[in-house]
Amino acid sequence: MEKRNVDWSRLGFGYQPTGKRFVTNYAGGAWDAGCLTGDSQVVISECAGVLQYAQTCFEGMKAYTTKDGRIVCFRPELNARRMAASCRRLCMPEYPEEKFLEAVKQTVLANEKWVPPYGCGASFYLRPVMFGTGAVLGVKPAETYQLRIFGSPVGPYFHGSAPALSLRVCPYDRAAPHGTGHVKAGLNYAMSLYPISEAHAQGFDENVYLDAATRTYLEETGGANLLFVKGNTLITPKSSTILPSITRQSLLEVARDYLGMETQERPIALEELGEFSECGLCGTAAVISPVGKITDKDKVYTFSGSTTLQELRSALLGIQMGEIPAPAGWIYPIV
């Protein structure tokens, strides 16, 4: 199929409306059949649950064109399950996994011209988002909801940034113990907007958040998980308030099974930062972005390079692009 006339190599990470999106509505205790629509606008009550009490969650995933010309998604069933977990925590109706996968497939097929070609460095980012549409004035869950799945061609998340990112240890907290840090709720990202604006004004690319209870352990950044390398070991923070990243989970498996590394998921104390040779951010949008330094007030922790993380990034992208054999079930064919 002929692609859109787009300079794929120059794409940043931003919203580009495409032809179709999947929409389904929940009312009376059930989801309707759903359909594809060309209308990108949402019309809801001024008293909708999403507007009054931030009752919304979302997912992020990508479709890729592989080396042999197929279009595929990467482990989308994990996105379906994570979204279901977010819905349970926010008192929203779950959308069945098999219907989620079919809706993703329909959305990608309907926008096939917008899926970047193989080798250009871009991908087709999919955003499933659910929100309360029913009017609520008292504090309670809405009675009606909408799920939309739309897509946009995107380039690298940190397009144009320095080769290695500069982070600061954030003076604000991201998620409270027993809160919602482990689900992909919109409210978690709303609270990060002020800290990231402040960080950018100070010359940093991102924030590193600490655990809110003791402020001694590393958690994650505003939009990505942390990775560290020490010798032949890949280490990631473990906490009940960290979002369970599908990319991080996959990278741990790739590090172990493809690169022969040891892997650890454990609490990482702030004072350990000086012990690591490499640091990176990982996520669907970022894949892996190397970090050059982390600043904590008057202390600056620097990282010598990103050789191992670059190898890890290349291995994951190779799997996603069909250049390297994938573990069973990791690649979901679209066409």
Side-chain angles (χ1 to χ4, degrees), residues 87-165:
C87 289
R88 288 192 294 272
R89 181 63 178 82
L90 297 173
C91 293
M92 301 170 71
E94 298 176 37
Y95 196 64
E97 181 177 325
E98 65 277 8
K99 290 186 177 181
F100 181 96
L101 295 176
E102 178 58 29
V104 165
K105 188 171 186 176
Q106 287 185 38
T107 304
V108 177
L109 286 173
N111 296 288
E112 188 176 347
K113 291 182 179 180
W114 289 98
V115 180
Y118 168 77
C120 69
S123 56
F124 189 70
Y125 184 86
L126 289 152
R127 171 55 59 84
V129 57
M130 189 189 298
F131 47 91
T133 55
V136 289
L137 196 56
V139 181
K140 63 178 182 178
E143 294 185 358
T144 61
Y145 297 85
Q146 185 172 110
L147 169 67
R148 299 176 75 90
I149 302 178
F150 61 91
S152 178
V154 298
Y157 189 74
F158 290 104
H159 189 79
S161 294
L165 303 175

Side-chain angles (χ1 to χ4, degrees), residues 2-38:
E2 184 180 351
K3 298 293 184 181
R4 287 282 183 172
N5 184 21
V6 174
D7 189 348
W8 308 104
S9 64
R10 295 181 63 85
L11 283 174
F13 194 87
Y15 173 63
Q16 167 66 62
T18 55
K20 298 288 186 178
R21 65 274 305 135
F22 179 85
V23 178
T24 179
N25 293 284
Y26 179 92
W31 290 100
D32 65 20
C35 66
L36 292 168
T37 175

Side-chain angles (χ1 to χ4, degrees), residues 67 258 311 314-327 331:
K67 186 177 182 179
Y258 285 71
E311 291 178 4
S314 295
L316 181 65
L317 288 176
I319 290 170
Q320 293 171 336
M321 299 296 176
E323 301 165 349
I324 299 173
I331 302 301

Side-chain angles (χ1 to χ4, degrees), residues 190-269:
M191 60 69 52
S192 74
L193 299 179
Y194 181 84
I196 192 62
S197 296
E198 186 178 88
H200 287 165
Q202 295 175 6
F204 297 100
D205 296 295
E206 250 289 12
N207 288 297
V208 174
Y209 289 96
L210 304 177
D211 74 290
T214 71
R215 294 195 57 80
T216 58
Y217 290 97
L218 302 170
E219 294 231 317
E220 58 181 311
T221 69
N225 283 186
L226 289 162
L227 297 172
F228 297 98
V229 174
K230 184 177 182 179
N232 192 46
T233 303
L234 181 69
I235 307 167
T236 67
K238 184 176 182 179
S239 165
S240 62
T241 53
I242 290 178
L243 183 73
S245 165
I246 295 165
T247 302
R248 183 191 66 193
Q249 177 183 334
S250 302
L251 287 169
L252 287 167
E253 296 179 55
V254 171
R256 183 186 66 239
D257 299 336
Y258 285 71
L259 302 186
M261 298 181 69
E262 298 292 326
T263 61
Q264 296 179 1
E265 291 182 83
R266 63 171 177 80
I268 301 176

